[in-house]
Amino acid sequence: MSSHDAAPSGPPSRNPCCLCWCCCCSCSWNQERQRAWQVSRESKLQPLPSCEVCTPPSPEEVQSWAQSFDKLMHSPTGRSVFRAFLRTEYSEENMLFWLACEELKAEANQHVVDEKARLIYEDYVSILSPKEVSLDSRVREGINRKMQEPSPHTFDDAQLQIYTLMHRDSYPRFLTSPTYRSLLLQGAPQSSEA
């Protein structure tokens, strides 16, 4: 009996004979899903609105961003401002990856989880992606194993690694950036000179 014969039968949407999930082959699973992935790519992982669209933050909110990275990341406006800063450092993909992982974790439909996981892999983990995030080999290997049966938590280790990278690397520079300083000054009380 060959290993093909011993392969367990999975759900009808999976091809148990195809171990390639990186979209480099033309197996029937890839052919059936290609159109759905294109539609999904165009509609589900849309970027955040620009800072101009977000509600202006209160002075207290802007000041709270300096208290902790968590406070910055829990604020929609804070994430948008931080994302604009990351764009100036050519590392916006870190925020986009983190947001895509958050969106994946909120998904319950397995078919959608499969599609989103593949999109995240293609857009941020694949070495062929221009938006590849910096992950160590241990985390990459874990993702490769988990991609055989994606779940909403497939990228948890990678998301934590990128969150930590943004916290330790980009966040301190953000706090001293002209972008953040100008927001602080906008909320500072105006001194009147007589």
Side-chain angles (χ1 to χ4, degrees), residues 1 7 17 28 32 42-43 50 57 72 87 94 99 162-163 170 175 178 184:
M1 179 184 286
C17 297
S28 60
E32 293 168 7
E42 293 165 3
S43 64
S50 65
L72 173 69
R87 190 176 305 123
N94 291 331
L99 290 168
I162 294 304
Y163 187 89
S170 302
L175 294 177
L184 282 175

Side-chain angles (χ1 to χ4, degrees), residues 51-126:
C51 295
E52 296 80 34
V53 176
C54 294
T55 307
S58 69
E60 295 78 22
E61 183 180 11
V62 172
Q63 291 171 355
S64 76
W65 300 342
Q67 294 170 4
S68 79
F69 186 59
D70 289 336
K71 288 186 179 183
L72 173 69
M73 293 297 282
H74 280 94
S75 161
T77 304
R79 287 191 306 266
S80 184
V81 171
F82 186 57
R83 178 180 166 193
F85 168 75
L86 291 174
R87 190 176 305 123
T88 68
E89 292 202 327
Y90 304 99
S91 59
E92 181 183 20
E93 66 276 359
N94 291 331
M95 178 64 79
L96 295 173
F97 171 73
W98 186 86
L99 290 168
C101 292
E102 287 296 295
E103 186 179 312
L104 178 67
K105 285 194 271 189
E107 188 56 61
N109 180 313
Q110 186 59 46
H111 175 70
V112 176
V113 167
D114 290 347
E115 289 179 22
K116 285 184 179 184
R118 186 176 300 263
L119 287 173
I120 292 170
Y121 185 89
E122 290 173 359
D123 287 346
Y124 304 108
V125 180
S126 170

Side-chain angles (χ1 to χ4, degrees), residues 101-164:
C101 292
E102 287 296 295
E103 186 179 312
L104 178 67
K105 285 194 271 189
E107 188 56 61
N109 180 313
Q110 186 59 46
H111 175 70
V112 176
V113 167
D114 290 347
E115 289 179 22
K116 285 184 179 184
R118 186 176 300 263
L119 287 173
I120 292 170
Y121 185 89
E122 290 173 359
D123 287 346
Y124 304 108
V125 180
S126 170
I127 60 172
L128 302 175
S129 173
K131 297 185 290 185
E132 178 189 10
V133 294
S134 179
L135 300 171
D136 66 38
S137 61
R138 177 191 60 82
V139 170
R140 279 186 188 280
E141 289 168 7
I143 291 171
N144 288 341
R145 282 190 305 274
K146 292 174 184 176
M147 281 300 293
Q148 294 174 18
E149 290 292 331
S151 79
H153 301 285
T154 296
F155 300 98
D156 283 359
D157 291 341
Q159 186 184 25
L160 177 60
Q161 193 170 75
I162 294 304
Y163 187 89
T164 303

